[in-house]
Amino acid sequence: MGPKNPVTPGPETIDTLIANLFGGEDERAESAAVGLGQLGAAALPSLEAALASEDPERRWWALRALAEIDSPEVPGLLAVHLADPDPAVRHCAALGLVRRPHPEAIPRLVEMLADQDRQLAGLARRSLAACGGTAVPALLGCAHSPDPGARLEAFRALAEIADRRAVPVFFKALQEGDSALIEYWAEYGLEKMGLGMAFFEP
């Protein structure tokens, strides 16, 4: 038997889920976010409208639900809120971009690697790693940043991506004796690429 035809969600279904999403009960809201994700693009207009709210909690939950939706419009909507005035909303946007990578957000994400909010910097690093090779040139530039926190996050992202364009940077860090954490991620990246310490044998 072939797959059943998808059912087009009615407005009542979306309205109920939206009400639960913003109803103030976290468990129902989380369930509604997943449900809206299953509805896909049909849920976008209601969630986009919520992103304009002055209530940061409403924006947070709208972004949380958007991250569940596999639509080409979603990454751009998430990226806009990397500059949201509320820290929790920025966190939610960055986390959403881990699931929905957006190459156009790479410059902003690289800037965030130096953020004093180290949790946000870590989420930015994860979002960059999710972009894969597209993020490598920007991360290689950040690997020379004077900010030690940004450099560490850049090295970690490069190690997670394991793109061979990072080999010279990893080699230099080990050869010149960088910080222990930088050296750890340089070694990790080389091992992930199948080079390991054999790369340094004469």
Side-chain angles (χ1 to χ4, degrees), residues 6-18 36 39 42-43 46:
V7 176
T8 302
E12 300 84 4
T13 305
I14 293 177
D15 289 346
T16 299
L17 289 171
I18 289 293
L36 288 163
L39 296 183
S46 296

Side-chain angles (χ1 to χ4, degrees), residues 148-169:
R151 286 191 70 231
L152 177 59
E153 296 292 359
F155 266 83
R156 184 170 177 180
L158 287 167
E160 292 169 352
I161 295 170
D163 186 297
R164 292 200 172 217
R165 286 173 289 178
V167 168
V169 171

Side-chain angles (χ1 to χ4, degrees), residues 63 75 78-98 102 104-128 138-139 142 145 147-154 157:
L63 291 171
L78 294 168
V80 168
H81 288 271
L82 292 174
D84 195 278
D86 185 84
V89 176
R90 293 197 296 273
H91 285 206
C92 191
L95 184 57
L97 288 170
V98 176
H102 189 48
E104 292 181 22
I106 287 173
R108 173 60 181 149
L109 290 167
V110 167
E111 290 177 2
M112 291 167 64
L113 296 180
D115 201 286
Q116 292 183 354
D117 181 341
R118 298 316 299 164
Q119 183 179 2
L120 182 60
L123 289 170
R125 181 254 308 158
R126 290 174 60 191
S127 300
L128 286 162
L139 286 166
C142 191
S145 170
D147 184 286
R151 286 191 70 231
L152 177 59
E153 296 292 359

Side-chain angles (χ1 to χ4, degrees), residues 39-63:
L39 296 183
L44 287 177
S46 296
L47 294 172
E48 286 188 65
L51 290 176
S53 172
E54 294 183 1
D55 181 355
E57 185 170 358
R58 196 172 180 87
R59 297 197 303 275
W60 192 98
W61 278 111
L63 291 171

